[in-house]
Amino acid sequence: MRLSRYFLPVLKENPAEAKIVSHSYMLRAGMIKQASAGIYSWLPLGLKVLRNIERIVNEEQIRAGHIPVLMPTVQSADLWRESGRFDVFGAEMLRMSDRHGRDMLYGPTNEEQITDIIRSHVNSYKDLPLTLFQIQWKFRDEVRPRFGVMRGREFLMKDGYNFDIDYDAAIHAYNRHMVSYLRTYERMGLKAIPMRADSGPIGGEDTHEFLVLADTGESEVFYDSAILEMNLGDREVNYDSVDECAAIAKEWTTPYARTDETHDDALFNEVPAERRKTSRGIEVGQIFYFGTKYSESMGANVVTDTGERVPVHMGSHGIGVSRLLGAIIEASHDDKGIIWPEGVTPFHCGIINLKQGDDAADAACEAIYQALTDAGLEPLYDDRKERAGGKFASMDLIGLPWRITVGPRGLKNGVVELTSRKTGENLEMTLEEAVAKVIKIYAAL
Ligand code: ATP
Ligand code: MG
């Protein structure tokens, strides 16, 4: 993309309404525009990152054997009356009625809808196990929408639902989700720690939240710092293997890590003092086993191999797709702007032409642009007739991990500059070397 033809409405000033850095940078980098409280339009740069996050979430769910579906955002209240949640949900639920006076709602979540699909089409143990997921907009009329996309009213969520014949099979689905989530967050360059969480009124102890450590997080968290050293990396995982998934889940849930809701001082004190940490965290996902709560109230049964009819065991599993943009920025920025991890960056490499209109500089930039594009990468070329200072400031703000700077003086010596946004390190090398290095970095992802 050439910046002269793009839509990147960068702001120079810090927007007064932004209380945390991610919100401020998202507005300043022209990623989002508030439409009304907690509701945002996604501008081109923001949309690109949102789509990248979505793609990673989708790929990792499919890798785990889960199947994509898409359910409507507007739901009929009838299903929610069946489960008993229509009245329980309270003011967070946006209710409306259609022209016939029928009660409708904008879905805050989809357990009822998915259960309705299952009870219509799944009848036998042979149809299980089954995990369906979607990436779809949700609406929750939050009391205090704030921090930009972090706590929106309309937000994008990946929500997945597993259906299994019994408790053991459902726990395998739970562990499978845990492993797939670990991989998902790692691919985004994030350290998200699974923490034992409160299951609330539903009961049972099988729920974990995934938290990204950040001072601006809304949750108070307690953890053993040993968990920060742990990495799933690119190890091969067989998601069908009950033992393998259970072993990884155990590995990650053994070090102490809990939110304030479930924190236990006595247990925490068993962690060696120097590894005992307290911090704030941003919830970027939650997995949940809730058994037969919905299947019993809504009649989602299957026939077992002995001919008995039993309610299916279920769990639901969510990832805050749009919140992740905020969480990644909170975890990765400096005072000049965002520092995108390579896995989610909106463009792979920035190209800055220090002297637009200089024949040699223009030609070199075009060559870099072409070579990166031919390699399947998306460069962002700042080809505007602007001062170099302004170009650097915008490029730093929008946070592309790599930048190639081209100027007449360097070209005379046969070099361009390759800069890492993260370390600030500048390397002089030939144009071909710079291009090859960037291609190699992304090929390794
Ligand atoms: P919170 O405690 O932050 O209100 P929740 O526990 O109610 O979230 P879940 O039902 O677990 O949310 O939803 C799954 C994921 O969706 C959460 O882990 C979070 O990342 C994201 N999410 C929830 N509410 C919002 C919101 N208002 N804005 C953006 N993302 C959200
Ligand atoms: Mg939650």
Side-chain angles (χ1 to χ4, degrees), residues 375-387:
L377 298 180
E378 275 190 280
L380 181 67
Y381 172 21
D382 193 343
D383 59 343
R384 297 169 305 163
K385 283 213 160 66
E386 282 232 358
R387 283 179 24 255

Side-chain angles (χ1 to χ4, degrees), residues 79-384:
L79 282 177
W80 288 70
R81 291 203 173 95
E82 270 187 64
S83 74
R85 284 211 296 183
F86 189 64
D87 298 319
V88 177
F89 225 86
E92 261 196 18
M93 183 144 81
L94 181 65
R95 296 151 203 264
M96 47 198 151
S97 54
D98 68 11
R99 65 166 71 199
H100 306 292
R102 278 190 285 259
D103 291 330
M104 311 291 285
L105 57 101
Y106 195 115
T109 177
N110 287 70
E111 280 83 3
E112 283 78 359
Q113 233 171 11
I114 197 91
T115 309
D116 181 46
I117 294 173
I118 293 301
R119 70 177 170 187
S120 307
H121 298 293
V122 170
N123 285 304
S124 155
Y125 71 97
K126 291 179 195 157
D127 300 325
L128 305 179
L130 187 61
T131 295
L132 302 176
F133 76 96
Q134 66 171 351
I135 299 177
Q136 178 63 294
W137 294 93
K138 305 285 182 284
F139 195 95
R140 294 181 187 174
D141 205 350
E142 301 273 357
V143 191
R144 267 201 314 267
R146 57 184 183 157
F147 300 161
V149 299
M150 204 81 95
R151 183 164 294 285
R153 293 200 294 167
E154 188 182 55
F155 59 97
L156 191 58
M157 194 204 286
K158 170 259 156 181
D159 44 325
Y161 307 87
N162 69 283
F163 302 91
D164 288 279
I165 190 73
D166 56 21
Y167 174 81
D168 287 346
I171 291 303
H172 173 51
Y174 184 87
N175 291 335
R176 213 170 52 227
H177 278 89
M178 180 168 304
V179 177
S180 69
Y181 279 26
L182 290 170
R183 174 153 276 163
T184 301
Y185 299 122
E186 274 188 19
R187 279 187 65 188
M188 297 174 190
L190 270 183
K191 181 124 288 186
I193 306 173
M195 301 204 180
R196 183 167 288 287
D198 188 8
S199 55
I202 295 170
E205 62 168 25
D206 294 306
T207 180
H208 282 84
E209 290 177 352
F210 289 77
L211 286 112
V212 172
L213 302 178
D215 296 341
T216 47
E218 292 186 274
S219 317
E220 189 177 13
V221 299
F222 303 82
Y223 63 98
D224 175 346
S225 63
I227 201 159
L228 299 178
E229 311 304 320
M230 292 170 52
N231 255 315
L232 195 61
D234 50 12
R235 70 175 98 165
E236 276 298 319
V237 179
N238 175 2
Y239 282 102
D240 289 333
S241 163
V242 170
D243 292 345
E244 219 178 298
C245 293
I248 295 172
K250 181 143 190 272
E251 196 182 333
W252 256 266
T253 51
T254 300
Y256 188 95
R258 295 189 179 198
T259 63
D260 52 358
E261 290 170 347
T262 54
H263 177 60
D264 178 331
D265 248 338
L267 274 180
F268 191 44
N269 284 329
E270 289 172 15
V271 178
E274 70 281 6
R275 297 205 324 241
R276 238 180 274 150
K277 306 282 180 206
T278 310
S279 162
R280 312 283 310 170
I282 301 167
E283 182 194 327
V284 291
Q286 182 163 19
I287 54 177
F288 222 116
Y289 164 72
F290 49 65
T292 56
K293 177 183 160 82
Y294 296 92
S295 51
E296 278 188 50
S297 61
M298 296 181 62
N301 310 304
V302 288
V303 178
T304 66
D305 54 355
T306 56
E308 201 187 337
R309 228 171 220 293
V310 295
V312 294
H313 285 249
M314 290 175 61
S316 70
H317 316 275
I319 293 181
V321 173
S322 50
R323 177 180 289 181
L324 271 164
L325 278 94
I328 292 170
I329 297 172
E330 289 297 325
S332 182
H333 67 269
D334 61 15
D335 54 5
K336 289 188 254 172
I338 303 165
I339 305 174
W340 289 117
E342 278 136 3
V344 301
T345 184
F347 292 96
H348 298 101
C349 182
I351 305 170
I352 287 191
N353 189 341
L354 291 176
K355 196 159 186 206
Q356 206 69 45
D358 176 273
D359 286 346
D362 289 1
C365 287
E366 289 297 334
I368 294 167
Y369 189 87
Q370 201 54 51
L372 290 174
T373 307
D374 289 348
L377 298 180
E378 275 190 280
L380 181 67
Y381 172 21
D382 193 343
D383 59 343
R384 297 169 305 163

